[in-house]
Amino acid sequence: MESVPGKAKPQGRLVVSTQLDAKDELEERLERCVVLVQALTNGLSEREANDALTANVCKGPQQHEEVCLGLFSLVLTEPTQAQRCYRDLTLLNRDGMNVVLVKINQILMEKFLKLQDVPRTQLVWLVRELVKSGVIGADGVVMTLLKQIAGGDISTKNLWLAESVLDILLDQKEWVLKSGMLIAMSVYTYLRLIVDHGAPNLLILRQKEVDYCISMLRDKFMECQIIGRDLVRLMQNVARIPEMELVWKDLLHNPQVLSSQFTGVLQLLTARTSRKFLACRLTPDMETKLLFMTSRVRFGQQKRYQDWFQRQYLSTAESQSLRCDLIRYICGVVHPSNEVLSSDILPRWAIIGWLLTTCTSNVAASNAKLALFYDWLFFNPEKDSIMNIEPAILVMHHSMKPHPAITATLLDFMCRIIPHFFPPLESQVRQGVFNSLTFIMEKRVLAHLAPLFDNPKLDRELRSMLRERFPEFCSSPSPPTEVKMEEAASMEMDNNILDKEDVCYDTTEAAFSDDEEEVHNKGKKREFRFHPIKEAVVEEPADITPWLDQLDDTMKEKVQQLQKTSDTETQCEVMQEIVDLILEEDFDSEQMSALASCLAELFKDHFRGDVLPDEITEESLEESVSKPVCLVFRNLVTMQEDNSGFSVLLDMLAEFYQKQPKIGYHLLYYLKASKAANGKMMLYESFAQATALGDLHTCLMMDMKACQEDDVRLLCYLTPSIYSEFPDETLRSGELLNMIVAVIDSTQLQELMCHVMMGTLVMFRKDSVLNILIQSLDWETFEQYSTWQLFLAHSIPLETIIPILQHLKYKEHPEALSCLLLQLRREKPSEEMVKMVLSRPCHHEDQFTTSILRHWTSKHDDTLGEHIKAQLIKNNNQPRKRQSLRSSSSKLAQLTLEQILEHMDNLRLSLSNTKNNFFSQTPILQALQHVQASCDESHKMRFSDLFALAEEYEDSQSKPPKSRRKAPASSPRSRKGAAPPTNNNEEESASSSASEEEDSKPKAPKRKRKGSSAVGSDSD
C-alpha cells in the first residue's frame, strides 16, 4: 500500500501498526530513550561513549532507567549493534537488569503478537543472553516466553518460537536444573506440544522435545511431580511414542526407578494441578479473551465473541487439541465470584458446552470430555474445590432439554471412565466420582440428581447403566419437598425466564430450563441472587475413631478425656495439657495431622455461629476468647519466636488450618480481642508462612473471605486492625475492600467512615487509590457508592484521583460520575481538573462537563477563564494529527481542540438565558480570537456563534487604531456586555494576556478579514 507523501505516519520499528493506529506509548518511550543514548554517544569512541553513559547513569534512578531502556531498545531494533549494546547494558546497569526484565515481561504479555519480525527475533536472542549470563529473574522471563507458545498451532512463527526456547533450555541445561519451577513448567509445556508436532516435517523438532522431557522426567522427577494429576494426563497422550512408552511404564509399574520418594501413579493423581500450570498453556491473548467472556459478556449475547474466538484459534485441524487446554483452564482457573454467579454473565458451563460442540474428531471429543471430568476421578472434598467439578454437572443439567445428546454422551463417558481409566485403580476412581456427586448435592449445585440420571429423554441402556453405577442418586425424593431458595446455591440460571425450546450453545437466544423446577416454581418470583451455602447444623456426637489409633497412648488418653467432658473450664485444662505434650522434646511430629483432625472434629461447634459478642465490652470479649481452641493461640502469644516450641505450635495450627480453614480468622479475632495478645497482630504473618499457602497476602485474603461469608459483624470489627497492621497486603489492591463493601449495610458503612474520620482506619493511600477506584467501576451500585463514601472520608486531595475521569463513560459509570460531580462542585478548579473535565467526549446525553463548568462559572469564573484559555491556546498550537481520539482502541480519552470548542459551545447555550458574564471575560475572548485566526473553515462554520463573540471583541479593540498590536495585552477593561468588569480579574487577565502576547501577535494580521464573520449569530 502506497503512503501519501507528507501525510503518512512514520512506521515505528518495534510493533506493527496501521495508519489509523495511535502511536504505541511503550514504543514512543523507548524511542525517546534511544534518542537520549545516541545524543550522549554520537561522535565518541567506545571508551568515551561508555564514560558518558556511566556519568549519566550515576545522576539518579531516572537517568539509569532511561539509559538502560535506550540500550534495550537498540538491542531489539538494531541487530548489528546488539552485541555491543548488551555488553554496555551489563556494565552500566545497577539493579541486576531488573528494569530490562520488567520491560521484557511487559512486552511478552502485552505486545508480543504485534512485534515486528526483527524485534521478535532479537527479543529471543536477548533472553538467551540473559540466561547465559545467569541473570537473577531470567527464569521468570523464560516461563513467560513459554506461555507465548500456542497449543494447536503449527504456523511457522509458532514453531520457530517453540524450537528457539527449547534450544535455550537444551544449551543451558545446567542453569535450568537450578530452578524447580522452570523444570516443571517446561516439561508441562513440551509434553503438551509434542501432540501437535506429529507431522512428518516436524519429527526432528518432536524428537528434540521428547528427548528433553525424558531427560527431565528421569533426572528431576520430584521437580516434575509438583505438576500433579495433569502430568499423568499429558503423558498418557504421548505414551505411544516408543521412548515415552518406557517412562510411562515405569510411572505405572516401577515408580522407584524415577525417584525413591515416588510411591506410584496414585500419588500424582490425588494431587490437584496448580492454576499456574493450567494457565501456562494459554497465550496471554487467549486468556484475556476467555476472562472477558466469563466476566463481561451477557448470557445470550455470546455468539459474536465465540465466533471471533473460533476464527482466531479453533478453525484449523490441529487446533482440535487446544480444546482440552481451554476446558482445563476454565474448570481449574476461572472461578467466578458469587456476584458473577448470580448475575446474567455468560456461565462457564455454556462456554464448555460450546467447545464440546466444536470438536470434529472422536479423539478430540474424548480428550475434551476427559479434561472436563479429570478432577472428578480422584476428587477429595478436603483438598479439591467444588468449582473444579461444577461445570461438568451443569453442562449435563442444562443440556438435557435442548441438547439431550450432549447430556447422554457425557453421562455415558462418566460411567465408562470408571472401569477403563486405569483398571488397578477402579475402586479409587469410583470413589472419586461418588465423592464428586455427593459434594455437588451437599453444596446444592443441583437440588437432586434423579431428574438427570433417570430422565425419559435418555435411552434405556444408559439409564440402566446409571442405575447400576449410581443407585444412591437415581431415586426420586419422596415426598417431594420444597427447596428453600435462601438455602440453595443458585448457580443455575433463572428457569422462570428461560423457556425456549430451540436452544443451542452459540445462539443469541441461549436459554435453558428444568421441568422439575418449573413445576415447583410456577407462580413464584425467584430471587436472582447467589446465597452463601448454609451448613445444616446436625447435632451429632464427634467421631474421632479414624484418627485415635494414630496417636500415642498419652496423647490418645488426653484426647479421649477432652471428648468426654463438656465443661469449658475442664476442656481448657485438658487442652493445656495437650499443648504441653506437643511442646515436649520427644513429641512425635508424625501424629500432628491425626491430632489436628481429632481437634477439628471435637471443636467443630466452636466454629459455628457468631464469634463476636452481641454487646462488645472488655468482659464479653475476654469471655469469647476463653474457649479451648484459644489455648493454642494464648501459648503462641506468650512465646518468643526463637523458642523451639513456637515453630511446633505453628505447625500444629497449620495442620489444623487444613482441616478447619475458619481457624485463620479466629486467630485474627483472638489477636485483636484478647488483652494478652495486645500488640501481637504480626504473629498472624508467622502463621500464614507456616501454612501450606506460605504467603501472607493469599492467606489473609482467604481468611477474610471466609469471615465475610460467615460473620459480617466480625468482618467490620476486624477491618481497622487488618488495614493498620497489614497495609502492604490491604492497600495495594481493592480485593479486601470489595469483600467489605459487598456485604456491609448502611449502618456498618457509617461506622467504618467514623473510624476513618477518627484516624483509626486508613483504607486508601495516594499511590494506589486511583487504581482501586478504577477497579471498583465494575462493582455493584451500592458497593461503588460505599467505596466513594469511604474515600471521601479520607483527606486525600481530589487531584490525586481526577484522572479517573478518563475512564468513566456516562452510561456505564453513573455512580462514580455522580460522586465526582458532587465533590468537584466543592473544589476551586485547578488546571488539571479543568483539563480532565474537558477531555470527556461530547455527547448530547452526557451533561457532566457542562454542569460542572456552569457551576464553576458562577463561583470561580476568573480562575476557570484562565485555565480554559490556557487549554485552548495549548491545543491550538499542537499539530493537527491523531485528533480522532474517541476510538475504542485508545486506552484513555485525550484532550483535543475540537472537544474544548464543543464543550464551550454547550456551556454558551447553557448560559444563554442567564445574566452570567463568563463569555465576556477578556481571557476567553482572547483565546477564541487566537483559535479563530488559525482554525479551518469547517470549524469556523460549526462554531460560528462561539467565534462571533471573539469578533465582537475584536471590533471593540480595533476602534483606537494605534493600539492594535497591544490590544491583547493591555485591554482587560474592554469587555462587551451590560455588566461592568470585576476588579479582581484585571491584574490576572492582564498578566495572563501579556504572557500570551507572542502567541497572539503572529495571528494579528488575520483579524482584518471582516468578511469572514459568521452569519446568523445568536451571540449573547
Side-chain angles (χ1 to χ4, degrees):
M1 184 176 71
E2 293 183 3
S3 58
V4 180
K7 293 185 179 180
K9 182 187 70 176
Q11 172 72 48
R13 303 185 61 187
L14 189 64
V15 299
V16 176
S17 61
T18 67
Q19 294 295 324
L20 299 177
D21 291 332
K23 189 69 179 288
D24 186 82
E25 292 177 12
L26 174 62
E27 185 167 17
E28 278 190 319
R29 188 183 178 203
L30 292 178
E31 284 177 358
R32 289 196 299 270
C33 293
V34 168
V35 170
L36 172 72
V37 170
Q38 290 174 338
L40 289 171
T41 58
N42 275 349
L44 302 180
S45 66
E46 281 197 21
R47 184 181 183 119
E48 291 170 336
N50 190 267
D51 291 343
L53 291 174
T54 302
N56 195 65
V57 162
C58 293
K59 290 180 180 178
Q62 182 180 346
Q63 290 80 0
H64 171 264
E65 183 174 349
E66 288 171 346
V67 170
C68 288
L69 291 181
L71 292 170
F72 165 68
S73 184
L74 285 170
V75 169
L76 295 187
T77 56
E78 300 288 350
T80 56
Q81 300 180 37
Q83 196 71 52
R84 178 178 60 80
C85 290
Y86 179 72
R87 183 198 65 203
D88 293 344
L89 195 55
T90 57
L91 294 172
L92 291 168
N93 84 90
R94 301 284 189 275
D95 62 351
M97 290 284 196
N98 187 58
V99 169
V100 174
L101 292 174
V102 168
K103 206 54 66 178
I104 292 176
N105 270 319
Q106 181 185 351
I107 290 173
L108 286 174
M109 294 299 290
E110 301 173 9
K111 315 283 183 187
F112 190 78
L113 291 178
K114 293 183 178 180
L115 283 183
Q116 296 183 30
D117 291 342
V118 171
R120 185 188 294 108
T121 305
Q122 287 301 109
L123 188 63
V124 174
W125 177 87
L126 178 57
V127 172
R128 182 191 297 273
E129 295 303 309
L130 291 171
V131 171
K132 280 184 185 178
S133 303
V135 173
I136 296 174
D139 55 338
V141 172
V142 173
M143 284 189 272
T144 310
L145 198 55
L146 283 168
K147 186 176 173 66
Q148 281 292 354
I149 307 171
D153 180 1
I154 55 171
S155 63
T156 305
K157 286 182 180 178
N158 198 58
L159 292 173
W160 168 81
L161 182 60
E163 189 162 16
S164 298
V165 179
L166 182 59
D167 287 340
I168 294 174
L169 299 174
L170 290 170
D171 294 344
Q172 305 298 323
K173 188 173 180 180
E174 292 302 317
W175 173 83
V176 172
L177 296 178
K178 296 176 184 177
S179 173
M181 182 52 69
L182 178 57
I183 292 172
M185 196 73 77
S186 59
V187 167
Y188 187 89
T189 298
Y190 283 104
L191 277 176
R192 165 64 188 85
L193 293 176
I194 288 170
V195 176
D196 298 335
H197 300 160
N201 61 317
L202 302 178
L203 290 181
I204 295 175
L205 172 59
R206 189 180 82 167
Q207 191 59 49
K208 287 168 69 174
E209 294 168 337
V210 169
D211 292 342
Y212 175 78
C213 291
I214 289 175
S215 70
M216 290 299 169
L217 288 167
R218 292 283 188 195
D219 301 339
K220 291 289 180 180
F221 185 78
M222 291 311 294
E223 281 76 2
C224 299
Q225 187 180 327
I226 64 172
I227 295 172
R229 60 176 63 121
D230 277 80
L231 176 61
V232 180
R233 181 177 65 86
L234 294 181
M235 290 188 67
Q236 192 172 5
N237 291 337
V238 297
R240 292 183 182 276
I241 299 173
E243 299 93 330
M244 292 300 300
E245 187 176 10
L246 297 175
V247 182
W248 177 244
K249 287 181 177 178
D250 285 341
L251 183 77
L252 298 181
H253 309 299
N254 199 8
Q256 294 290 309
V257 171
L258 297 173
S259 171
S260 58
Q261 301 174 47
F262 181 48
T263 57
V265 71
L266 186 60
Q267 186 179 344
L268 279 174
L269 290 168
T270 53
R272 190 171 76 179
T273 298
S274 167
R275 291 179 171 197
K276 60 172 69 85
F277 293 108
L278 299 177
C280 84
R281 287 320 318 128
L282 269 65
T283 65
D285 188 59
M286 290 181 199
E287 195 169 7
T288 301
K289 299 299 188 297
L290 266 186
L291 291 176
F292 177 82
M293 288 168 68
T294 55
S295 63
R296 304 295 292 275
V297 176
R298 297 188 183 282
F299 188 38
Q301 300 175 0
Q302 70 268 30
K303 186 176 188 303
R304 64 192 182 104
Y305 301 101
Q306 291 175 346
D307 288 346
W308 182 94
F309 197 92
Q310 183 157 2
R311 282 196 307 272
Q312 190 79 4
Y313 298 114
L314 301 174
S315 58
T316 61
E318 57 273 7
S319 67
Q320 291 291 318
S321 63
L322 180 60
R323 286 152 176 81
C324 298
D325 301 332
L326 296 171
I327 291 172
R328 292 299 294 143
Y329 178 84
I330 293 169
C331 291
V333 181
V334 183
H335 290 177
S337 63
N338 290 351
E339 178 190 353
V340 173
L341 288 171
S342 64
S343 70
D344 58 353
I345 296 297
L346 180 64
R348 297 186 299 163
W349 58 261
I351 299 178
I352 291 175
W354 162 66
L355 288 172
L356 290 172
T357 63
T358 64
C359 293
T360 57
S361 74
N362 292 333
V363 174
S366 295
N367 288 338
K369 285 181 276 190
L370 180 61
L372 179 60
F373 281 104
Y374 206 62
D375 289 311
W376 287 52
L377 306 184
F378 297 89
F379 184 79
N380 182 346
E382 293 185 0
K383 295 180 181 179
D384 293 311
S385 169
I386 183 69
M387 300 301 283
N388 289 33
I389 60 174
E390 176 242 42
I393 197 73
L394 290 184
V395 170
M396 294 188 286
H397 170 71
H398 288 293
S399 302
M400 180 59 82
K401 188 173 182 180
H403 299 290
I406 288 180
T407 302
T409 188
L410 290 175
L411 286 171
D412 181 75
F413 183 87
M414 183 179 71
C415 291
R416 296 183 190 280
I417 196 69
I418 294 174
H420 294 119
F421 178 72
F422 186 48
L425 297 180
E426 180 180 352
S427 61
Q428 286 90 338
V429 175
R430 186 187 305 280
Q431 185 62 46
V433 175
F434 181 83
N435 289 344
S436 300
L437 294 169
T438 304
F439 206 51
I440 284 166
M441 297 276 285
E442 286 179 6
K443 292 300 182 185
R444 311 286 287 177
V445 178
L446 292 184
H448 42 81
L449 296 174
L452 179 64
F453 284 5
D454 200 21
N455 196 295
K457 291 187 178 181
L458 303 176
D459 65 65
R460 187 176 303 172
E461 183 183 351
L462 178 57
R463 289 164 65 187
S464 174
M465 184 162 57
L466 284 165
R467 279 195 295 270
E468 179 186 340
R469 293 263 197 267
F470 310 109
E472 305 88 345
F473 305 108
C474 290
S475 56
S476 298
S478 57
T481 56
E482 181 182 346
V483 179
K484 292 183 180 179
M485 284 303 166
E486 63 269 16
E487 294 180 0
S490 304
M491 291 183 181
E492 304 137 280
M493 296 303 293
D494 190 338
N495 294 319
N496 292 323
I497 62 172
L498 304 176
D499 195 22
K500 296 265 192 290
E501 293 288 347
D502 54 340
V503 184
C504 72
Y505 287 106
D506 56 355
T507 60
T508 54
E509 293 292 327
F512 298 86
S513 62
D514 178 69
D515 296 334
E516 301 289 332
E517 290 193 359
E518 283 182 328
V519 172
H520 288 298
N521 292 336
K522 189 169 286 187
K524 295 182 182 180
K525 182 178 179 181
R526 180 171 178 178
E527 186 180 359
F528 193 63
R529 291 184 60 193
F530 180 91
H531 296 278
I533 299 159
K534 296 181 180 179
E535 296 180 14
V537 179
V538 181
E539 296 297 334
E540 294 180 353
D543 180 17
I544 57 174
T545 311
W547 304 288
L548 272 179
D549 292 337
Q550 299 176 40
L551 304 176
D552 61 33
D553 293 340
T554 311
M555 185 65 77
K556 184 176 181 180
E557 181 185 343
K558 295 298 178 188
V559 170
Q560 287 175 323
Q561 190 177 343
L562 192 64
Q563 183 182 23
K564 290 173 184 175
T565 182
S566 58
D567 177 60
T568 302
E569 190 173 341
T570 308
Q571 282 185 329
C572 287
E573 292 174 1
V574 177
M575 189 65 200
Q576 183 58 55
E577 292 173 5
I578 290 175
V579 171
D580 292 338
L581 287 174
I582 294 172
L583 295 175
E584 289 181 359
E585 291 184 8
D586 58 349
F587 175 70
D588 183 5
S589 59
E590 291 185 3
Q591 58 182 326
M592 194 81 83
S593 178
L595 176 60
S597 298
C598 291
L599 295 178
E601 180 68 17
L602 292 173
F603 295 139
K604 59 186 177 184
D605 290 339
H606 174 70
F607 297 101
R608 290 178 181 149
D610 295 337
V611 182
L612 195 64
D614 292 333
E615 185 177 351
I616 299 176
T617 63
E618 287 189 11
E619 293 77 14
S620 63
L621 288 175
E622 281 300 322
E623 184 180 351
S624 69
V625 295
S626 300
K627 298 176 180 177
V629 167
C630 297
L631 259 296
V632 183
F633 304 156
R634 187 181 303 169
N635 278 271
L636 267 175
V637 164
T638 57
M639 285 184 177
Q640 298 294 327
E641 290 196 18
D642 55 359
N643 189 317
S644 60
F646 183 82
S647 60
V648 176
L649 280 184
L650 278 181
D651 291 341
M652 172 66 205
L653 272 183
E655 286 288 345
F656 206 138
Y657 189 61
Q658 289 191 349
K659 320 298 179 188
Q660 177 52 272
K662 294 182 182 182
I663 200 171
Y665 73 78
H666 279 251
L667 173 59
L668 286 168
Y669 173 66
Y670 179 86
L671 294 173
K672 178 176 173 64
S674 173
K675 287 182 180 178
N678 188 25
K680 298 273 190 173
M681 185 62 82
M682 295 309 292
L683 181 68
Y684 178 81
E685 184 172 358
S686 302
F687 162 74
Q689 291 167 353
T691 65
L693 298 170
D695 174 62
L696 173 60
H697 179 79
T698 306
C699 194
L700 182 63
M701 292 304 122
M702 286 180 65
D703 290 341
M704 294 304 284
K705 183 66 178 174
C707 180
Q708 178 222 40
E709 292 171 352
D710 291 348
D711 191 344
V712 177
R713 283 184 66 237
L714 179 58
L715 178 73
C716 295
Y717 176 76
L718 290 175
T719 293
S721 297
I722 298 302
Y723 270 95
S724 61
E725 296 291 342
F726 308 109
D728 291 338
E729 311 305 324
T730 54
L731 295 175
R732 67 186 182 186
S733 75
E735 190 175 354
L736 178 57
L737 178 65
N738 192 15
M739 286 184 210
I740 295 167
V741 296
V743 292
I744 58 173
D745 58 26
S746 52
T747 304
Q748 291 161 335
L749 171 62
Q750 190 261 345
E751 290 173 358
L752 290 176
M753 291 174 66
C754 290
H755 279 294
V756 173
M757 298 287 286
M758 291 188 294
T760 56
L761 173 60
V762 177
M763 304 182 80
F764 300 99
R765 62 185 180 196
K766 288 184 180 181
D767 63 346
S768 58
V769 61
L770 177 60
N771 183 45
I772 291 175
L773 289 177
I774 291 171
Q775 290 177 36
S776 74
L777 298 178
D778 294 326
W779 301 351
E780 292 295 325
T781 292
F782 181 76
E783 296 170 13
Q784 289 195 53
Y785 279 131
S786 300
T787 300
W788 280 95
Q789 292 293 311
L790 289 168
F791 164 73
L792 295 175
H794 291 70
S795 300
I796 298 177
L798 192 64
E799 286 211 346
T800 306
I801 58 102
I802 198 67
I804 198 176
L805 267 176
Q806 296 177 291
H807 297 263
L808 303 182
K809 299 178 181 176
Y810 75 99
K811 281 190 175 179
E812 296 177 22
H813 308 122
E815 301 90 349
L817 283 169
S818 58
C819 292
L820 263 177
L821 189 63
L822 292 175
Q823 192 61 17
L824 281 169
R825 73 191 299 271
R826 300 190 184 99
E827 301 280 335
K828 181 178 180 180
S830 67
E831 183 178 356
E832 183 66 14
M833 287 180 189
V834 173
K835 178 183 176 182
M836 289 297 167
V837 167
L838 291 173
S839 69
R840 290 188 57 71
C842 294
H843 193 282
H844 67 278
E845 293 181 16
D846 184 4
Q847 300 295 322
F848 181 91
T849 299
T850 305
S851 60
I852 189 59
L853 289 178
R854 176 169 174 152
H855 174 79
W856 280 338
T857 60
S858 64
K859 301 288 184 181
H860 309 285
D861 58 337
D862 297 342
T863 307
L864 180 62
E866 291 295 341
H867 290 324
I868 290 180
K869 173 187 176 181
Q871 293 301 326
L872 274 169
I873 293 177
K874 179 180 177 183
N875 282 272
N876 187 50
N877 290 339
Q878 289 179 350
R880 301 280 202 285
K881 61 180 181 180
R882 292 191 282 129
Q883 290 282 312
S884 57
L885 292 162
R886 293 188 215 167
S887 69
S888 59
S889 62
S890 60
K891 288 185 179 179
L892 300 174
Q894 297 182 35
L895 188 57
T896 66
L897 177 63
E898 187 174 345
Q899 269 182 310
I900 302 175
L901 291 174
E902 282 189 82
H903 287 308
M904 293 288 287
D905 207 33
N906 290 338
L907 179 61
R908 178 187 63 79
L909 291 171
S910 174
L911 296 173
S912 59
N913 295 322
T914 70
K915 295 181 179 180
N916 191 296
N917 298 313
F918 178 73
F919 281 97
S920 63
Q921 290 189 87
T922 300
I924 294 294
L925 297 171
Q926 288 174 340
L928 288 174
Q929 196 176 31
H930 183 84
V931 172
Q932 184 188 23
S934 59
C935 70
D936 54 35
E937 289 301 323
S938 63
H939 282 83
K940 287 179 181 177
M941 290 298 294
R942 183 177 176 186
F943 303 108
S944 57
D945 295 337
L946 197 60
F947 287 134
L949 303 175
E951 290 173 1
E952 292 171 8
Y953 170 71
E954 182 181 2
D955 290 343
S956 68
Q957 297 305 297
S958 62
K959 288 176 183 177
K962 293 181 181 180
S963 60
R964 285 182 63 84
R965 291 178 63 86
K966 295 288 184 181
S970 59
S971 56
R973 299 179 181 275
S974 59
R975 299 177 186 168
K976 179 183 181 299
T982 55
N983 293 331
N984 65 346
N985 196 45
E986 290 180 9
E987 291 181 13
E988 187 177 349
S989 298
S991 62
S992 175
S993 301
S995 67
E996 297 298 338
E997 187 173 357
E998 288 186 15
D999 289 329
S1000 301
K1001 281 182 180 179
K1003 311 299 178 185
K1006 296 188 179 181
R1007 294 177 192 162
K1008 297 177 182 178
R1009 294 168 52 205
K1010 296 296 291 180
S1012 66
S1013 61
V1015 181
S1017 169
D1018 63 351
S1019 165
D1020 296 333

